[in-house]
Amino acid sequence: MILVTGSAGFIGANFVLDWFARHDEAVVGLDKLTYAGNLENLASLKDDPRHIFVRGDIGDAELVTKLLKQYRPRAVINFAAESHVDRSIHGPEDFIQTNIVGTFHLLESVRAYWSGLADEEKTDFRFLHVSTDEVYGSLAKGDPAFSETHRYEPNSPYSASKAASDHLVRAYHHTYGLPVLTTNCSNNYGPYHFPEKLIPLMIVNALAGKPLPVYGDGQQIRDWLYVKDHCSAIRCVLEKGRLGEVYNVGGCNEKANLDIVHTVCALLDELRPRADGKPYREQIAFVADRPGHDRRYAIDARKIERELGWKPAETFETGIRKTVQWYLDNQGWVNNVQSGNYRQWVEKNYAGRD
Ligand code: NAD
Ligand code: DAU
């Protein structure tokens, strides 16, 4: 079996759901269920014997050690993190605790477990760390896309904390020989994306008749990848990646934020027109910029394509249409996230449990 941390978050949940669509290998999910963790994302696995969910912190060495001993995973895939740049600006401490200190404790627990494995299991074991392109900083127009050897220049507390975690993972390979793999991916979008991030926020605000807040001039560029393509890249790196290597993952889909918002509005105009017949883009409101806002990200994904044969399956046009449709079809999920009802459900579900 494999141990997946952060399995109730956006990408972790998509990864687990996609895993079971392809494998019968069991998954132990470990998630602290912060505001971003939502067990409703995994509701379809409720009675699935292949899936075990444990609520807990990657930094809880006692718990993680117990889980490793009990379930003896062949791999650990680390999605757990505080992931929202704006929140890291308002309150960096949780980012330091989970992304740096938590990853450190997780690495220590995993190292102790791995050291005690028999030779063959030890050789086959993998620790895959899921990271971000934001560790590389910001690109100017015309700069070449981030390659794996681009220098680290993180600009936000979030990206600095992810950069620190990447360095720890690297050090555990070089110093202790822990068989690690790291992926640095660009912006994801798709089902179960928490509506604090650009694309889901624009969809839910548009439908609710609220303003669509675009930071600054809206000309910041991100390189968008459909979440299921990120999941396929992680499976590919887990299976075939060279130990100690870093693989950049991206969709070759550079878009300015304002263009993204226009695309979402146009799709909603087509799929769920406003009652008054006016276009959704009338709701766009330019607001104060994010402090220290990175101007452009772009990923050079040639290494993973060349070495491992990975390529995204979705274009931006197909992926964004599926995404908008998913939000239209899953208003119940959106309502529960917005009202906080999913949290009450979590409290209820966990009341009285060990
Ligand atoms: P998310 O915020 O949706 O999910 C994070 C999950 O981690 C949540 O379920 C949360 O409850 C859990 N978590 C937080 N702290 C924890 C802790 N101490 N112990 C255990 N669980 C904890 O984030 P996401 O967008 O799914 O991102 C997952 C990973 O992928 C992160 O490491 C992020 O840096 C990375 N990443 C994200 C993107 C993106 O566009 N979303 C792109 C590249 C890389
Ligand atoms: O690049 C990968 C990263 O992508 C991940 O590591 C992060 O976990 C993930 O959150 C994402 O970070 P961004 O800051 O790029 O994503 P976000 O959706 O917050 O913002 C995308 C762009 O849209 C960014 O330039 C800021 C802008 N924005 C965002 C929001 C929420 C707006 O203009 N208005 C908004 O309301």
Side-chain angles (χ1 to χ4, degrees), residues 82-86 131-134 158 162 185-188 193 196-202 213-216 218 220-222 224 257 287 290 293-294 297:
E82 289 293 337
S83 70
H84 190 36
V85 174
D86 291 320
S131 194
T132 169
D133 59 357
E134 298 201 13
Y158 163 69
K162 289 296 289 187
C185 187
S186 60
N187 285 62
N188 286 210
H193 205 180
E196 64 181 355
K197 309 275 172 75
L198 180 71
I199 289 179
L201 183 77
M202 295 301 144
V214 173
Y215 297 164
Q220 302 81 7
I221 291 173
R222 299 290 182 267
W224 295 93
N257 292 340
V287 298
R290 171 185 280 175
H293 201 171
D294 285 338
Y297 304 143

Side-chain angles (χ1 to χ4, degrees), residues 9-11 31-32 34 37 57-58 79 83 98 131 158 162 188:
F10 163 47
I11 308 175
D31 197 298
K32 189 176 170 182
T34 66
D57 194 319
I58 54 166
F79 291 96
S83 70
T98 284
S131 194
Y158 163 69
K162 289 296 289 187
N188 286 210

Side-chain angles (χ1 to χ4, degrees), residues 46-348:
K46 197 166 167 282
D47 298 316
D48 193 321
R50 301 169 300 175
H51 179 237
I52 297 149
F53 180 80
V54 179
R55 184 182 196 173
D57 194 319
I58 54 166
D60 181 345
E62 201 181 319
L63 172 67
V64 175
T65 301
K66 191 183 110 191
L67 294 177
L68 291 168
K69 267 196 192 143
Q70 184 177 353
Y71 294 112
R72 304 186 60 77
R74 69 171 176 96
V76 172
I77 301 160
N78 184 31
F79 291 96
E82 289 293 337
S83 70
H84 190 36
V85 174
D86 291 320
R87 283 182 190 257
S88 84
I89 294 167
H90 291 290
E93 186 156 358
D94 286 347
F95 291 74
I96 307 305
Q97 275 311 324
T98 284
N99 300 359
I100 306 180
V101 182
T103 304
F104 159 69
H105 286 301
L106 179 65
L107 282 165
E108 276 294 88
S109 305
V110 170
R111 179 167 77 91
Y113 163 72
W114 170 76
S115 305
L117 291 175
D119 282 352
E120 199 180 327
E121 285 175 318
K122 209 170 169 177
T123 308
D124 291 345
F125 184 80
R126 297 289 181 270
F127 180 92
L128 193 154
H129 180 60
V130 180
S131 194
T132 169
D133 59 357
E134 298 201 13
V135 298
Y136 299 124
S138 186
L139 294 169
K141 202 175 168 192
D143 283 350
F146 300 129
S147 73
E148 289 79 359
T149 53
H150 194 282
R151 70 178 168 191
Y152 270 44
E153 275 183 332
N155 290 321
S156 71
Y158 163 69
S159 53
S161 67
K162 289 296 289 187
S165 69
D166 292 6
H167 293 324
L168 284 169
V169 169
R170 175 188 160 89
Y172 271 63
H173 177 66
H174 280 266
T175 305
Y176 304 114
L178 191 70
V180 308
L181 299 154
T182 298
T183 53
N184 291 86
C185 187
S186 60
N187 285 62
N188 286 210
Y189 66 99
Y192 305 109
H193 205 180
F194 195 83
E196 64 181 355
K197 309 275 172 75
L198 180 71
I199 289 179
L201 183 77
M202 295 301 144
I203 299 171
V204 303
N205 275 12
L207 292 171
K210 292 184 181 167
L212 308 179
V214 173
Y215 297 164
D217 63 2
Q219 293 308 311
Q220 302 81 7
I221 291 173
R222 299 290 182 267
D223 183 350
W224 295 93
L225 182 69
Y226 191 60
V227 63
K228 287 173 186 304
D229 281 324
H230 188 188
C231 296
S232 77
I234 291 169
R235 291 194 303 273
C236 186
V237 172
L238 182 65
E239 199 187 318
K240 301 189 268 189
R242 287 188 292 128
L243 291 188
E245 289 291 318
V246 172
Y247 294 92
N248 282 356
V249 183
C252 222
N253 267 312
E254 285 189 57
K255 307 270 182 212
N257 292 340
L258 191 57
D259 293 337
I260 294 286
V261 179
H262 285 160
T263 302
V264 167
C265 288
L267 280 166
L268 287 172
D269 288 340
E270 175 195 330
L271 299 169
R272 183 71 54 86
R274 268 172 50 158
D276 62 7
K278 291 183 175 166
Y280 283 98
R281 63 159 78 188
E282 283 196 358
Q283 289 167 233
I284 291 174
F286 288 91
V287 298
D289 210 349
R290 171 185 280 175
H293 201 171
D294 285 338
R295 196 68 183 164
R296 173 177 166 237
Y297 304 143
I299 278 280
D300 176 345
R302 282 178 297 181
K303 178 176 172 182
I304 186 170
E305 183 178 347
R306 190 178 61 244
E307 286 192 12
L308 310 183
W310 174 85
K311 264 188 178 183
E314 299 289 345
T315 63
F316 186 71
E317 288 64 34
T318 58
I320 193 69
R321 182 173 282 276
K322 283 184 184 176
T323 304
V324 171
Q325 191 63 56
W326 187 88
Y327 280 85
L328 290 173
D329 294 343
N330 288 274
Q331 275 297 312
W333 181 92
V334 173
N335 294 341
N336 282 343
V337 167
Q338 287 187 315
S339 68
N341 274 349
Y342 78 102
R343 299 203 64 78
Q344 286 160 26
W345 184 84
V346 165
E347 301 311 330
K348 197 169 145 196

